[in-house]
Amino acid sequence: MVFVREGYPHLLKDYREHACVDARIWEICEFLHDVVKPARLDARFPHRVSLHNSCHGVRRMGLSSPSELHVPYHSKLRDLLAMVEGIEVAEPERRDECCGFGGMFSAEEGAVSVAMGRAKVARHMATGAEYITGADASCLMHMQGIIDREKLPIKTLHIVEILNSTL
Amino acid sequence: MSTHSVAARKFVADAGRMAWHDQALYAVREKRDRMMESVPEWEELRNLSSQIKRNTP
């Protein structure tokens, strides 16, 4: 998402009209939160979830605030989840720390990537949540890989599946 | 594989050192966050130090 919005305009600088450099490209949670601004969602998800912040989400897209910015904590994901009936939202310790995926980083630095992912999943599990949810599919994929290999009692679920849930 | 990733694999395999390294690094961040709350002119100092960094080749 950040790569499309911030990287493509550099790569495609001669294509001002190209769809990929369109200013109307939004991440779905910021679109819901900042543009659609729904008063209600009619979603129901009676489970305890642990909220996962992706690095790009925190530090490039403003989906939530990192501690170093010295501003009151806010999270657009949390605001959206608050409209879901029956949900219990927890946040892990070190909520703005990386899960260790990082794209090429996970291939180049596999050992560190896995160690960071294990630590992150453990912190999500310590909240007592049944699900880890977030807006970034790559973090969720990385953590689900660790969960599957180690057969851990928690699952990842993209936030849109919860916002669109009528369980 | 880079020399870093080869060395990191060995380091990560040592659970005790890994835990120490993790705590030591995160403690620096937590100290920073605590100081940030206790020093009123924090942002001004941060901007000044940022300018010094940008001005230092």
Side-chain angles (χ1 to χ4, degrees):
Chain A
M1 177 57 222
V2 170
F3 193 78
V4 171
R5 193 157 61 189
E6 295 185 16
Y8 281 16
H10 295 293
L11 294 174
L12 302 169
K13 58 182 185 302
D14 299 325
Y15 294 89
R16 289 281 165 222
E17 301 305 315
H18 198 286
C20 288
V21 296
D22 197 303
R24 290 171 298 175
I25 294 171
W26 296 82
E27 189 280 323
I28 190 160
C29 289
E30 69 178 347
F31 182 70
L32 285 172
H33 188 278
D34 299 349
V35 182
V36 179
K37 300 178 184 170
R40 42 183 270 221
L41 287 174
D42 293 332
R44 183 174 147 74
F45 193 75
H47 298 282
R48 184 171 173 83
V49 304
S50 185
L51 186 54
H52 183 75
N53 296 306
S54 78
C55 297
H56 279 176
V58 177
R59 295 191 169 80
R60 306 294 301 187
M61 289 153 59
L63 292 180
S64 67
S65 51
S67 68
E68 68 267 15
L69 281 193
H70 203 194
V71 296
Y73 178 67
H74 68 83
S75 163
K76 294 181 184 181
L77 275 58
R78 204 172 173 129
D79 290 350
L80 291 171
L81 289 174
M83 287 190 279
V84 176
E85 194 193 321
I87 199 168
E88 229 185 303
V89 181
E91 292 189 63
E93 278 185 26
R94 303 191 186 185
R95 65 185 166 201
D96 53 15
E97 189 178 67
C98 180
C99 73
F101 178 60
M104 277 304 292
F105 178 81
S106 64
E108 283 287 324
E109 296 285 347
V112 178
S113 174
V114 168
M116 290 173 75
R118 278 189 180 137
K120 182 52 95 175
V121 171
R123 289 196 176 91
H124 280 300
M125 286 177 58
T127 67
E130 299 156 75
Y131 296 93
I132 302 172
T133 192
D136 193 316
S138 55
C139 309
L140 298 178
M141 177 191 71
H142 181 55
M143 290 187 286
Q144 188 64 52
I146 286 162
I147 292 165
D148 289 345
R149 281 192 188 209
E150 306 196 350
K151 299 186 171 45
L152 300 171
I154 194 164
K155 292 191 270 285
T156 61
L157 195 60
H158 195 279
I159 189 168
V160 166
E161 296 192 63
I162 294 176
L163 300 178
N164 193 36
S165 180
T166 50
L167 286 178
Chain B
M1 276 180 117
S2 67
T3 52
H4 180 277
S5 60
V6 172
R9 186 173 300 273
K10 272 170 66 183
F11 189 92
V12 166
D14 185 337
R17 284 181 83 193
M18 221 5 215
W20 170 83
H21 180 255
D22 176 61
Q23 290 298 331
L25 266 187
Y26 210 79
V28 172
R29 183 174 167 183
E30 288 174 326
K31 276 187 204 166
R32 189 272 319 272
D33 285 354
R34 270 203 307 280
M35 290 308 290
M36 195 162 68
E37 295 304 326
S38 66
V39 178
E41 67 274 31
W42 179 268
E43 288 304 321
E44 194 190 333
L45 291 172
R46 178 143 72 178
N47 282 333
L48 285 171
S49 54
S50 169
Q51 286 168 24
I52 292 169
K53 268 165 86 177
R54 284 176 198 281
N55 196 39
T56 311

